[in-house]
Each structure stands twice: as structure tokens, then as C-alpha cells.
Amino acid sequence: WEQNLSIISDTIEALLQVQTKWMYLENIFIGSEDIQKKLPTETSMFIAINAQWNTIMSRLNQDPNVCRGTTKREGLLDSLNEMLKKLEKIQKQLEDYLEDRRRVFPRFYFLSNDDLLEILGHSREPRKVLPHLKKCFEGVHNLEFGESTRKGSGIVAKKMMEPGGEAVDFISPVQVEGEPVEHWLGKVEDAMRATLKRALWQTYDSLKQIKQKADPSPWVHNHYGQLLITSASLSWTGEVDKSLRELQSGAPSSGKDNPVKKLLRKWKNNIKRYTTIVKSKLDRLTRNKLVSLITIEVHNRDILDNLYSKKIATPTDFAWTSQLRFYWVEDEKEGKLAQIRMASASVWYDYEYEGNNGRLVVTALTDRAYMTLTTALQLQRGGLPQGPAGTGKTETVKDLGKGIAKYVIVFNCSDGLDYQSMGR
């Protein structure tokens, strides 16, 4: 009896282990033609195991007696152990295949195997990949497909869209049809950055052409929300630097002729014009753009007020260098690129499309967190905002990501997050 009970226990345990792996792999190898074509050897192996498993289950179903079903069938336990080894080998090959796809498009590292397999299973049907875009990009939640103008090229992606309704035309359409999904998603990422690089300069150039008392409504309507804020910050940084250099060169430091005082008046007038537009009848998209722009511009006004009240007169003073400042930097290959500086840190603007999803009000504590995190980015180290739950630590990091256009991924620790997931 002891021997029989031991065999029963081992057989039931082996049955459960094989069943768990079989259930996971069945959806992949039986349901997806693309995976079958890409992993033909593993598919053949799984089909053989699937037939063997169905036979074993059919026999156990016909005779459900646990003693006869497990102890009277010679070789059942050995067969199950052999099946388990083969299933583990198939799973290992599948994970190697997924690893190769992740190397081609690194954002796949932040998706679960199930999500990635679903995406790869639809590589011939690009529209079925669209629901997964929000897991790979911050602001791109949809793409507009169309037929290529070149004969025989098939489907191309023409626009990227965010949930609020803002649509951004790519500089040139991205070829989708006939391309593996990991390749065309990589091209979408490249097209996103190239499009934002050009659009940021155009937005900044349009801003500089607005005359002192002109209505900024056309500028707000004609450009993308994220780039309105960035170009306004670039303009603000340039003008503050210029005013401080004038003071350093001997400009009057008191009264109406103080360059910083003049700039403060100008910024107050800018905010008045924006608030006048907000009070008018606007569509939801334009209102969201303006609310985010005003949020950042009010903070810029407060910084100018602080610089004037503290009588800061040099561009190297810590009261100025400790702010999040935006500069144009000339690059030999790329042309003009935006760079963000704060204290001793310099971080490149990453041109990640963030959409039109609002900005946080900047406080003194937010600025201190930004300074720590930008320095951590510069030194390629980690930052650790610490405090009670619900005080805005995560949102502050996400808002810095919006400011410097970097993709921020939030992980909530759980039992399912093992060391291998963290390593990826």
C-alpha cells in the first residue's frame, strides 16, 4: 500500500505539472499560425505531446478509479516525466524566440510573455496590434493606417494619435505591411522622434514671430500641446539668460529699467493673454493645451519674481542654475537639439510623444525632486523619492518625464515580479 500511495502521489503531481505547461503552450502552438511557422520544430514536438496527453486524459476519463488509473498502467509516470522534459524544452525555445524579438524592439522587455505572444501572433494584421500600443508608448494610443502612394507597398502608418484626440502626422509614412511587427514598431518609434524634432523647431520659430501684443490663439491652435510647453520653456530660458547677462554687463538693477523686471511684466502679460483665450468658447483639446501651458508659465513667472526680489544679477547664480532650464544645442549630425539643464546636470530632450495629458503644478518640493532626479540621470544612477503613500512621488517622476520627454514606466511590485523580470 505504501508503494501504491507513493506511485499515486507522484503520478498526480506529474499530471498537474504537465497539465499546467500544456495549457499555457496549447494556446500558443495550436491557436497561432505565425508562431507555428516561426517555430516549426517545437510545433511538431508539441503536436505529438498534445496527442499523447489527450490519449492519457481520455483513458483516465473512461476509468476514473485512482488506483487502477495510476498503478495499473505501466510506464505512465515515466511517460509523464518525459512529456514534462519536452514541454520545458519547448518553453525554453519559446522564451529564446521572445528574447530575440525583445532585442529588436527593446520596449517589448516591459511586456509580459502573454502580451508579447498576442502581438507577435497578429504580425500579419497590424490593426490587431493597435490595442497594445499604449503598453509600448506613453502618448501613442492609436495609429492611422492608409494605402501607400508607392505601388505595391501596401499599408503604411500615416499618423499617431493620443486618447484626447490630438493627431500627429509623421514626416514620412511608416511601412507596416510585409514587415515583422517588431521592425515596424521600431520604425514608428524613430518616426515619432524625427517628427517631434522638426515640429519642436517649427513651434519655437512660430512663437518667436508672435509680436509683443499679438493674439497667441493661432499659435496655440496650430501646434501640439507638448511642444507648446517645451518651446515656451526654451524661449523663457533664453530670455532670462539674456536679461541676467545684461545685468552682469552693467544694466540698471533697480526700477523699471531692470531687465528681469521688464521680463516679469512681459510674462505676466503673456499669462493674461492665455487666460483670456481660456475664458472663450474652446474645444476640449485646445482647452487642455492651454491649461497645461498656463500651469508651466505661472511657475516660470514665479521664478522671475523670485530672481527679481533676490536681486540676482548673474546667469551663474544658483537661484537661476537650480531651475529646470531648456536650451538649443547645435549637433553636427542632428542639427539643433533641445537640452535640459538643472544645477550640474545636463539631459537631452528625448522627443518621446507624451500626448496632451496635463501637467502638475510645480512647487518648491517638486523642484528639489527634479534636481535630484536629473542629477541621477546625468550620473546614470537611481533616484529615490521617499514619503507617505499618496503624496505624489510617482506623479512627480512621471511629470519630470513629460517635461524632458522621456518614457516613464511604472511597476507595482507583486509576487509575480521575480528577479528575472527585474533583470529584463
Side-chain angles (χ1 to χ4, degrees):
W1 269 106
E2 282 184 15
Q3 188 178 357
N4 281 349
L5 286 171
S6 178
I7 292 168
I8 290 167
S9 175
D10 291 345
T11 306
I12 290 173
E13 189 178 341
L15 279 166
L16 290 169
Q17 287 178 326
V18 170
Q19 184 185 43
T20 302
K21 293 197 178 294
W22 171 81
M23 285 171 68
Y24 173 68
L25 294 169
E26 186 199 23
N27 291 330
I28 298 163
F29 287 100
I30 302 299
S32 173
E33 288 183 16
D34 281 333
I35 300 293
Q36 288 174 16
K37 286 177 182 175
K38 286 165 184 171
L39 297 169
T41 309
E42 288 72 23
T43 302
S44 303
M45 198 186 298
F46 182 78
I47 288 169
I49 291 170
N50 187 50
Q52 192 179 356
W53 174 252
N54 287 333
T55 304
I56 291 169
M57 287 290 102
S58 180
R59 285 176 185 164
L60 291 173
N61 186 49
Q62 288 168 8
D63 184 9
N65 184 282
V66 70
C67 286
R68 287 195 299 273
T70 55
T71 59
K72 302 297 180 185
R73 296 188 189 279
E74 287 188 17
L76 175 60
L77 185 57
D78 292 336
S79 295
L80 288 169
N81 287 333
E82 187 62 31
M83 287 166 70
L84 189 60
K85 283 181 186 174
K86 287 180 179 176
L87 287 168
E88 283 173 348
K89 185 179 178 184
I90 292 169
Q91 193 167 347
K92 175 72 171 64
Q93 291 298 110
L94 177 66
E95 284 174 0
D96 289 346
Y97 165 73
L98 295 180
E99 181 67 22
D100 289 341
R101 305 284 77 74
R102 285 178 167 126
R103 285 197 192 107
V104 176
F105 185 60
R107 294 188 185 210
F108 281 162
Y109 278 110
F110 305 111
L111 298 184
S112 67
N113 284 353
D114 292 345
D115 284 337
L116 180 50
L117 284 163
E118 193 174 340
I119 290 171
L120 295 173
H122 295 310
S123 57
R124 290 167 180 247
E125 301 168 279
R127 284 180 175 84
K128 289 190 177 178
V129 177
L130 296 180
H132 297 279
L133 280 178
K134 59 187 175 186
K135 298 171 188 173
C136 300
F137 297 93
E138 179 65 37
V140 184
H141 282 220
N142 204 353
L143 295 171
E144 184 182 292
F145 292 128
E147 288 294 322
S148 174
T149 51
R150 289 185 297 173
K151 195 175 180 182
S153 292
I155 297 171
V156 293
K158 294 183 174 181
K159 292 181 183 180
M160 55 183 175
M161 290 170 276
E162 54 101 42
E166 189 171 75
V168 180
D169 293 288
F170 290 128
I171 292 173
S172 54
V174 178
Q175 182 65 42
V176 170
E177 193 170 329
E179 294 270 347
V181 65
E182 63 273 17
H183 285 282
W184 70 255
L185 280 173
K187 288 180 179 177
V188 165
E189 185 184 350
D190 294 340
M192 170 186 75
R193 290 206 163 95
T195 300
L196 288 194
K197 275 178 192 173
R198 179 185 288 186
L200 178 57
W201 176 254
Q202 290 170 344
T203 309
Y204 175 78
D205 193 46
S206 299
L207 173 62
K208 299 308 283 182
Q209 290 174 21
I210 298 174
K211 292 179 181 175
Q212 183 65 35
K213 294 184 180 179
D215 179 16
S217 295
W219 178 70
V220 173
H221 282 287
N222 296 335
H223 297 282
Y224 309 121
Q226 174 186 345
L227 304 184
L228 292 176
I229 294 170
T230 309
S231 56
S233 298
L234 283 158
S235 173
W236 170 78
T237 303
E239 294 206 38
V240 176
D241 261 352
K242 182 184 173 187
S243 298
L244 291 174
R245 281 197 300 271
E246 285 176 10
L247 280 170
Q248 193 177 26
S249 302
S253 59
S254 59
K256 294 181 180 180
D257 293 330
N258 183 311
V260 175
K261 180 71 173 175
K262 285 181 185 175
L263 194 58
L264 177 59
R265 283 199 301 272
K266 179 182 174 182
W267 238 256
K268 284 178 179 176
N269 290 331
N270 286 349
I271 293 168
K272 277 181 188 174
R273 284 200 290 274
Y274 294 142
T275 50
T276 303
I277 303 169
V278 162
K279 290 172 188 174
S280 63
K281 192 173 181 180
L282 297 170
D283 59 81
R284 186 179 171 187
L285 176 62
T286 309
R287 185 171 297 280
N288 287 344
K289 283 185 194 178
L290 273 164
V291 167
S292 299
L293 178 60
I294 290 168
T295 302
I296 301 302
E297 289 289 67
V298 164
H299 178 60
N300 292 343
R301 179 206 64 193
D302 291 345
I303 292 169
L304 280 167
D305 199 18
N306 185 50
L307 293 175
Y308 177 67
S309 62
K310 287 186 175 178
K311 295 184 169 53
I312 305 302
T314 60
T316 53
D317 194 289
F318 186 72
W320 171 235
T321 60
S322 62
Q323 306 302 328
L324 200 66
R325 296 163 293 130
F326 290 70
Y327 293 92
W328 284 115
V329 176
E330 193 71 41
D331 184 82
E332 289 181 9
K333 293 180 182 177
E334 302 282 342
K336 283 190 179 293
L337 295 176
Q339 189 184 62
I340 295 91
R341 297 173 195 165
M342 194 171 197
S344 60
S346 296
V347 181
W348 290 107
Y349 190 78
D350 207 35
Y351 296 97
E352 174 80 22
Y353 180 58
E354 301 284 338
N356 198 19
N357 50 10
R359 295 295 298 272
L360 288 183
V361 173
V362 185
T363 65
L365 184 59
T366 317
D367 273 333
R368 286 166 66 187
Y370 285 179
M371 199 186 305
T372 307
L373 294 168
T374 49
T375 306
L377 278 171
Q378 166 89 356
L379 300 173
Q380 295 185 329
R381 298 196 175 255
L384 181 66
Q386 196 170 5
T391 51
K393 300 182 296 297
T394 304
E395 290 304 318
T396 298
V397 177
K398 285 166 71 177
D399 199 66
L400 176 62
K402 290 176 190 175
I404 63 177
K406 276 195 181 292
Y407 182 35
V408 177
I409 299 153
V410 179
F411 279 108
N412 291 312
C413 293
S414 67
D415 296 339
L417 195 67
D418 56 14
Y419 73 93
Q420 289 173 320
S421 302
M422 289 300 292
R424 284 211 297 269

